[in-house]
């Protein structure tokens, strides 16, 4: 378990060091390669905004430190209650979203906060055909989530709630690793 935590910490530090580099992709070497110690999971977000919206404030710490394989059983009811309270698209029994999922099935998917990835198809959050098969950097994840939460069976319900009105990143993505441009 310690090795997994250490590996996770190293991966996070590596990502941070790349995303904080200059536009010329130069990186600064880390001061230490000693990652011994105990690491604790403090936050997780496989799907952006899902944790923020559907986990009640008093349960955030418990959710963030629960192993994803146990999240569905522990949090699905809370997610369903919060979805029904939030979205008029799930106000009536039998209401479904564009994936054909009713509130119980949809929140069962959401409550396990992992990013699913297709190993043999297109990797995208949503491209008109493929849904939740991964994530491309340019995918408009928040708008897709809003569509699935508020858009109803054909994305036409509640149009004022189904778009974040952010159509692109503020900087162009790089064509090679680390793909993300330096912030500001």
């Amino acid at each position: 378990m310690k090795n997994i935590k250490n590996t996770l910490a190293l991966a996070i530090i590596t990502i941070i060091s790349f995303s904080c580099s200059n536009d010329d992709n130069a990186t600064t070497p880390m001061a230490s390669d000693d990652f011994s110690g105990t690491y604790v999971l403090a936050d997780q977000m496989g799907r952006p905004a899902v944790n923020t919206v559907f986990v009640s404030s008093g349960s955030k710490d418990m959710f963030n430190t629960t192993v994803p394989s146990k999240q569905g059983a522990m949090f699905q009811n809370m997610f369903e209650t919060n979805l029904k309270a939030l979205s008029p698209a799930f106000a009536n029994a039998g209401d479904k979203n564009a994936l054909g999922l009713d509130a119980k099935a949809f929140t069962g998917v959401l409550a396990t906060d992992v990013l699913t990835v297709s190993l043999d198809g297109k990797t995208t959050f949503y491209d008109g055909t493929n849904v939740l098969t991964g994530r491309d950097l340019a995918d408009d994840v928040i708008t897709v989530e809003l569509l699935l939460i508020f858009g109803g069976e054909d994305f036409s319900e509640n149009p004022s709630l189904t778009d974040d009105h952010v159509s692109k990143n503020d900087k162009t993505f790089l064509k090679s690793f680390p793909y993300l441009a330096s912030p500001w």
Side-chain angles (χ1 to χ4, degrees):
M1 185 65 150
K2 184 177 178 182
N3 287 341
I4 292 171
K5 291 177 183 176
N6 289 347
T7 302
L8 179 59
L10 178 60
I12 291 169
I13 290 168
T14 302
I15 290 167
I16 291 170
S17 70
F18 277 116
S19 62
C20 294
S21 66
N22 295 328
D23 279 334
D24 63 1
N25 295 328
T27 59
T28 305
M30 288 187 267
S32 172
D33 60 359
D34 179 12
F35 296 104
S36 61
T38 303
Y39 299 92
V40 177
L41 181 61
D43 195 7
Q44 57 185 312
M45 257 196 204
R47 294 186 189 104
V50 170
N51 174 339
T52 305
V53 172
F54 292 107
V55 179
S56 302
S57 60
S59 299
K60 295 280 186 192
D61 289 340
M62 185 170 41
F63 181 81
N64 283 324
T65 57
T66 299
V67 177
S69 62
K70 295 182 180 180
Q71 288 173 330
M74 291 178 65
F75 297 98
Q76 185 276 327
N77 288 333
M78 176 194 305
F79 274 50
E80 184 176 356
T81 299
N82 291 341
L83 174 66
K84 287 178 176 178
L86 179 67
S87 177
F90 288 98
N92 302 306
D95 280 345
K96 297 180 178 183
N97 64 12
L99 299 177
L101 302 175
D102 63 14
K104 185 171 187 71
F106 183 47
T107 56
V109 170
L110 296 179
T112 302
D113 191 19
V114 296
L115 181 61
T116 53
V117 177
S118 173
L119 299 177
D120 58 3
K122 184 171 180 173
T123 302
T124 184
F125 212 70
Y126 177 73
D127 67 0
T129 303
N130 301 290
V131 183
L132 304 179
T133 60
R135 180 175 178 200
D136 185 71
L137 282 175
D139 288 347
D140 195 345
V141 173
I142 300 301
T143 294
V144 171
E145 289 174 346
L146 292 172
L147 284 165
L148 294 173
I149 292 166
F150 295 107
E153 290 85 356
D154 62 1
F155 292 151
S156 66
E157 293 181 40
N158 310 297
S160 63
L161 301 174
T162 57
D163 192 346
D164 65 359
H165 303 287
V166 178
S167 60
K168 64 179 182 171
N169 198 38
D170 59 340
K171 286 191 169 185
T172 304
F173 294 115
L174 304 175
K175 300 221 184 280
S176 61
F177 188 82
Y179 304 108
L180 300 174
S182 294
W184 304 280

